[in-house]
């Protein structure tokens, strides 16, 4: 960290260029010249599960069909694609649905950028999640990691302070974390090592993500909400945080000037609890589940199994296609890669999240 005098913006204006990571990231990603306003979209800078293979959209389509069955096949079924990029996932899901289900499906893409030219006319393009009345599946692939958050760091006295940043990426410590943010840290990410708080320990304060997730799920009258992201839980928080940048397919230092993506892993357990708290005390929502992406996708038919060698003799073209599909599936399931994503499955109403993933193994495969 590039350190300066502790403090925030002064009355003289001398410190106006220092601000918290949340404000800086908001401008860098979503401001008028923000990273996500660019014409190339996310696919121009990093590879998500959606871009890796159409198998991912096929799996999400199968999940939507399972939700449809759990809801009793309603006359109108909704699919909401959060952080839709350029509409790749929602387009793939519509293409993969059985005709009868597709005919009943209302598709929404939620994205700050403008509607891409040539997008399927069946897809409604929104800048914000639907306000309510949704029955079906809300899917948020790599959305929450781009909801801006404040960063805290422990100083030499053992006090967690807000990290301030300039547009060039230089950092310094600001005021002590207090109020609701301090309460969140104490509950979900206490910045302490084995012997208590140590200088340099960092945490990302996930309150804005909790609120964003609870609000998005509240749009569902019934169905399932899924968040798929790199994530961690309270028993295994990274001691120095995860804030980083991506540009043109490479990891870079996070610089909030609009030139790169700025992302941090998500405390999905806190997000799940935030929705439950929003429901209380009027009702207790069905239990949420956290599952590694590799397990969730296997339960939805993505296996990565190689085709039988005999197929190469009887139908060489089919063998080549099946081999390519197995390679794509392997990327989606890979340890140390996309398979390490975590899915938060948050049911609303009658669906049982565990029943929707009945084929998830009870233990990790060797």
């Amino acid at each position: 960290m590039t350190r300066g005098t502790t403090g925030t913006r002064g009355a003289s204006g001398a410190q106006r260029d220092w601000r918290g990571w949340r404000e800086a990231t908001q401008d860098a990603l979503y401001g008028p010249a923000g990273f996500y306003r660019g014409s190339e979209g996310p696919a121009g800078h990093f590879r998500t599960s959606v871009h890796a293979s159409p198998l991912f959209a096929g799996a999400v389509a199968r999940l939507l069909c399972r939700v449809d069955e759990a809801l009793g096949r309603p006359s109108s079924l909704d699919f909401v694609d959060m952080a839709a990029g350029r509409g790749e996932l929602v387009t793939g899901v519509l293409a993969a649905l059985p005709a009868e289900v597709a005919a009943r499906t209302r598709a929404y893409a939620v994205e700050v950028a403008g509607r891409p030219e040539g997008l399927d006319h069946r897809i409604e393009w929104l800048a914000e999640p639907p306000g309510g009345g949704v029955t079906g599946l809300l899917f948020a692939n790599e959305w929450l990691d781009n909801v801006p958050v404040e960063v805290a760091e422990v100083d030499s006295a053992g006090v967690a302070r807000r990290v301030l940043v300039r547009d060039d990426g230089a950092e310094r410590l600001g005021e002590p974390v207090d109020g609701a943010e301090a309460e969140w840290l104490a509950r979900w990410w206490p910045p302490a090592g084995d012997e208590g708080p140590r200088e340099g320990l960092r945490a990302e304060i996930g309150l804005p993500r909790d609120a964003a997730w609870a609000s998005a799920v509240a749009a569902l009258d019934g169905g399932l909400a899924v968040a798929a992201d790199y994530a961690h839980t309270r028993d295994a928080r990274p001691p120095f945080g995860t804030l980083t940048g991506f540009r043109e397919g490479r990891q870079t230092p996070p610089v909030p000037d609009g030139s790169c993506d700025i992302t941090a892993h998500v405390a999905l357990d806190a997000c799940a609890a935030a929705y439950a708290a929003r429901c209380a005390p009027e009702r207790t929502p069905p239990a949420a589940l956290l599952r590694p992406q590799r397990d969730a996708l296997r339960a939805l038919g993505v296996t990565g199994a190689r085709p039988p060698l005999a197929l190469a003799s009887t139908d060489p073209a089919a063998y080549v296609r099946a081999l390519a599909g197995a390679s794509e599936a392997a990327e989606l399931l890979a340890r140390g890669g996309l398979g390490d994503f975590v899915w938060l499955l948050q049911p609303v109403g009658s669906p049982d999240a565990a029943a929707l993933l009945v084929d998830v193994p009870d233990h990790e495969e060797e």
Side-chain angles (χ1 to χ4, degrees), residues 158-198:
V159 176
R161 294 183 176 272
R162 189 185 315 275
V163 177
L164 306 180
V165 64
R166 290 193 316 219
D167 288 353
D168 62 3
E171 291 181 329
R172 56 180 277 187
L173 295 185
E175 71 279 8
V177 177
D178 60 7
E181 292 182 339
E183 293 173 4
W184 189 94
L185 281 179
R187 179 182 180 186
W188 292 110
W189 198 336
D194 295 337
E195 300 176 358
R198 300 199 316 273

Side-chain angles (χ1 to χ4, degrees), residues 122-145:
R122 294 175 293 173
I123 300 170
E124 185 173 349
W125 195 263
L126 304 173
E128 299 287 342
V134 174
T135 300
L137 175 62
L138 180 146
F139 202 94
N141 185 61
E142 296 194 55
W143 169 47
L144 290 172
D145 67 316

